[in-house]
């Protein structure tokens, strides 16, 4: 089946964790179109990778924005002599242990000059995102390692990268990029309780106000209790999931306007992937 009408498809935003627990969940935001508005339906917490995997099998049609990298830098892959096609490369990466990944990437970085230790994807600079090979602060390489194989096994469709179930579409999202469009460089979240300040609370409110007023091409609707719950989450996980859902919605609008690639650049590197909207 092909893509479905704007009014029919659900939207999903995923704030991912490579090691989810009862305390630090993977957070999913589910939404739907109602009268041309994106309505937040519910938030779903996954306290394990198994729970996340089960959620991926939620029947479509839906389009999801996932906050984890969908690829590694071509420069890194070429130097390591790993497969130069996306699916074989991801399969090879998934077969490695985290310790092997850490040692391999550390050796790569150690051989490079200060200020240029990491290789970057083409999408990283315009998105302001961390290099997808980072294994600490944040460990996005481990997020790729934990999440992407499960998404492939679930049979999702990755536009421009790998064909799957067209009723369950996965796009790489980055909430920090969209947040900066709304509030600039202000910080809006922290897992450190000592840094969960009033200023960050106000920043979260300002981000939501920007989404509700339609400043990013989609008008978001939340019930008052949902708004309060998202704002109250000082870790920002709930807000990040909502931001990813909004990115998925913008991409879905592109598809409705005839763009089979959901707004992804026609010349994107199909080994590295690309962050939707950037």
């Amino acid at each position: 089946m092909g893509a479905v009408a704007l009014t029919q498809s659900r939207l999903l935003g995923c704030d991912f964790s490579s090691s989810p627990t009862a305390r630090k969940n993977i957070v999913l935001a589910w939404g739907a179109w109602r009268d041309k508005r994106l309505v937040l339906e519910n938030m779903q917490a996954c306290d394990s990778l198994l729970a996340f995997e089960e959620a991926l099998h939620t029947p479509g049609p839906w389009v999801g924005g996932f906050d984890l990298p969908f690829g590694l830098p071509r420069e890194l892959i070429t130097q390591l002599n790993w497969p130069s096609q996306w699916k074989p490369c991801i399969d090879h990466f998934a077969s490695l242990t985290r310790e092997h990944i850490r040692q391999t990437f550390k050796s790569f970085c150690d051989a490079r000059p200060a200020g240029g230790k990491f290789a970057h994807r083409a999408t990283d600079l315009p998105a302001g995102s961390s290099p997808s090979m980072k294994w600490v602060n944040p460990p996005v390489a481990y997020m790729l390692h934990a999440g992407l194989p499960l998404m492939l096994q679930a049979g999702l469709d990755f536009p421009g990268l790998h064909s799957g179930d067209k009723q369950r579409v996965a796009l790489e999202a980055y909430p920090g990029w969209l947040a900066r469009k709304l509030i600039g460089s202000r910080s809006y979240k922290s897992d450190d309780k000592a840094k969960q300040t009033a200023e960050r609370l106000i920043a979260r409110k300002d981000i939501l106000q920007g989404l509700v007023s339609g400043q990013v091409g989609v008008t978001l609707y939340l019930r008052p209790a949902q708004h309060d719950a998202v704002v109250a989450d000082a870790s920002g996980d709930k807000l990040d999931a909502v931001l990813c859902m909004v990115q998925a919605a913008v991409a879905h609008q592109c598809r409705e306007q005839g763009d089979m690639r959901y707004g992804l650049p026609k010349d994107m590197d199909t080994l590295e992937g690309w962050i939707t909207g950037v």
Side-chain angles (χ1 to χ4, degrees), residues 28-32 38-44 204 208 212 220-233 238-239 242 245:
L28 307 180
W30 288 96
L38 174 61
V39 176
L40 177 63
E41 292 184 316
N42 65 286
M43 307 287 287
Q44 179 180 357
R204 291 193 296 279
L208 274 184
V212 168
L220 176 68
Y221 174 79
L222 308 87
R223 297 190 302 275
Q226 292 174 324
H227 179 282
D228 292 347
V230 171
V231 167
D233 178 14
K238 288 184 174 67
L239 180 53
V242 170
M245 180 184 71

Side-chain angles (χ1 to χ4, degrees), residues 168-186:
R168 294 177 297 136
V169 176
L171 299 164
E172 181 179 345
Y174 178 45
W177 169 77
L178 189 55
R180 280 194 293 274
K181 289 176 72 74
L182 293 165
I183 63 165
S185 60
R186 293 159 59 198

